[in-house]
Amino acid sequence: MTKRFNLNATAIFSTAVLGSALLIAGCSGDNDEAKTAQESAAEQSAMAVKQPAPVEAPKATMQPEPSPASKAMAEVKETAADVKEEVQETAAAVKEEVQEQVAAVKEEVSEMVSSSPSGEKAYATCVGCHGANGEGGVGPRLNNQSAAEVVAKLEKYKAGEQMGPMTGMMAPMAAGLSTDDMKSIAEYVTALK
Ligand code: HEC
């Protein structure tokens, strides 16, 4: 009889221990399931009361870096830099355009100066042998050739190349000519017909 009672007592005791252990585990753990809905609601409202919204407000004013004024200043600086860059680019483009136009005018002027008049003047020394219009005489006809051909032949005479049988007569005439002289003479004489 006593043995049976003991058994029952042990069974009851162990059941009680197990039950309370489960209860403790349920309450002490992070698991919220153990809490009743009422408890959770109460806790949440308590948290809400304990943490009022304006707690973070002073934090923002205590950090000076991203203040709206400095942000606006940075934006203004950036815009100013952009405008400066644009102005510099435009100025550079205008300068380039003006330089191009000046170069074009210079070229035109130098062409006007170096063409016909000086070519005509220089050809005067050739007229005796090649004709007033380059039609030929003692020397071959020149006005039926291209300016480039005439220049190329003059360069060869100047370089001392043996050309035709009368190279000895022509070579000294080419010796004193610069390439520019040859070009202006050639342009002049090949334009005559
Ligand atoms: C004294 C006469 C004489 C004078 C001045 C003279 N030449 Fe000639 N020229 C010749 C003769 C001759 C030849 C052909 C030479 C040869 O046989 O290679 C010739 C050849 C040339 C040729 C090559 C023509 C060809 O189709 O083969 C050219 C170009 C030329 N002369 C240009 C000139 C020019 C430019 C001048 C003036 C700066 C000039 N000559 C002055 C006599 C002359």
Side-chain angles (χ1 to χ4, degrees):
M1 188 66 179
T2 46
K3 213 180 180 186
R4 199 176 164 188
F5 170 77
N6 281 349
L7 255 170
N8 280 344
T10 312
I12 290 161
F13 179 75
S14 44
T15 308
V17 168
L18 204 87
S20 53
L22 282 170
L23 209 86
I24 289 160
C27 288
S28 65
D30 292 334
N31 202 341
D32 282 349
E33 278 167 20
K35 291 172 189 168
T36 64
Q38 251 185 340
E39 273 172 345
S40 304
E43 242 172 69
Q44 270 174 13
S45 61
M47 272 165 77
V49 171
K50 276 176 195 166
Q51 294 185 345
V55 166
E56 282 184 18
K59 224 176 163 186
T61 50
M62 278 163 79
Q63 288 175 337
E65 300 102 87
S67 83
S70 67
K71 254 188 185 179
M73 195 62 196
E75 259 171 58
V76 167
K77 276 184 184 170
E78 216 170 287
T79 310
D82 283 351
V83 168
K84 196 180 168 189
E85 202 175 309
E86 221 169 289
V87 167
Q88 281 174 338
E89 271 171 29
T90 310
V94 168
K95 195 179 167 190
E96 205 173 305
E97 211 173 295
V98 168
Q99 280 175 337
E100 264 170 43
Q101 282 177 359
V102 167
V105 169
K106 266 189 185 172
E107 203 174 312
E108 221 171 288
V109 168
S110 77
E111 255 173 50
M112 281 163 71
V113 167
S114 74
S115 66
S116 304
S118 70
E120 186 177 11
K121 229 178 165 184
Y123 184 72
T125 57
C126 324
V127 170
C129 296
H130 291 281
N133 292 310
E135 71 275 16
V138 178
R141 187 178 175 190
L142 300 178
N143 67 8
N144 60 344
Q145 308 188 32
S146 74
E149 272 178 289
V150 169
V151 171
K153 285 170 181 173
L154 287 170
E155 293 279 20
K156 285 179 181 176
Y157 281 110
K158 189 183 176 181
E161 271 185 49
Q162 182 67 38
M163 302 292 283
M166 294 194 284
T167 299
M169 191 188 281
M170 179 57 211
M173 304 307 300
L177 301 174
S178 70
T179 303
D180 278 349
D181 294 334
M182 293 175 189
K183 278 181 185 167
S184 54
I185 291 170
E187 270 165 31
Y188 170 76
V189 76
T190 55
L192 302 169
K193 288 219 165 121

